Amino acid sequence: QVRLVEFGGGSVQPGGSLTLSCAASGYSRQSNCMAWFRQTPGTQREFVASLSGSVRSKDYHTSVRGRFTISEDSAKNTLYLQMDGLKAEDTAVYYCAASQNSWCRANPFHPDSFNAWGQGTQVTVSS
C-alpha cells in the first residue's frame, strides 16, 4: 500500500516561493503517475501539476504554468513542487497523489485517476 507524506507548506508573502515535498513509501515500483492537487474550503480538489508514464511527461494547470515546477527524485522516492511567484489565489491545502494504474496517463488531471493520497499541507499566501 502506497503511503504519501507531504512537507513544506507554510505562509509566504505574494511573490514569494515555497517548495513542497512528498515522500512516498510502501510500493515496489515507480508510480505510473504522480501529481499535486489543491483544495480550498467548499471547492473540489483542483489539478495543479503531474508527472505521467515512464517518460515522466509533465503537465500543469494554466494558472500555475511558468511559476510552478514539478519534479521527482527517484532515488529518494520523493516528489517536489517548486512554487515561485506565489499569489493570494494559490492559497490552499496541497495534496500529493499517486497511481500505479496504467490508465492514469489518459487523464492525470482528475482526482479519480489516483488511488493514493497524502494528508495535505497548507499553503497560505498573504501580505
Side-chain angles (χ1 to χ4, degrees):
Q1 183 176 352
V2 178
R3 180 170 181 260
L4 305 174
V5 180
E6 298 101 337
F7 302 93
S11 296
V12 64
Q13 292 186 341
S17 298
L18 281 175
T19 300
L20 304 183
S21 303
C22 172
S25 61
Y27 59 94
S28 60
R29 60 181 177 88
Q30 186 183 48
S31 291
N32 208 14
C33 302
M34 295 199 74
W36 291 96
F37 287 78
R38 64 188 181 187
Q39 190 171 24
T40 55
T43 68
Q44 293 188 342
R45 205 160 286 189
E46 174 187 67
F47 169 78
V48 176
S50 65
L51 289 173
S52 304
S54 59
V55 299
R56 311 315 268 174
S57 298
K58 296 182 180 182
D59 287 291
Y60 296 93
H61 190 278
T62 54
S63 66
V64 307
R65 189 173 291 124
R67 299 188 298 121
F68 291 11
T69 303
I70 188 171
S71 64
E72 67 179 347
D73 185 332
S74 298
K76 296 181 179 179
N77 292 330
T78 301
L79 182 73
Y80 301 98
L81 184 68
Q82 174 66 39
M83 305 184 293
D84 299 316
L86 282 161
K87 304 176 181 180
E89 51 264 42
D90 295 318
T91 295
V93 176
Y94 283 71
Y95 295 91
C96 172
S99 175
Q100 306 288 336
N101 300 318
S102 60
W103 46 263
C104 67
R105 290 177 291 172
N107 188 5
F109 319 112
H110 198 285
D112 289 349
S113 297
F114 296 86
N115 52 15
W117 292 88
Q119 82 286 356
T121 185
Q122 176 71 46
V123 172
T124 302
V125 184
S126 173
S127 56

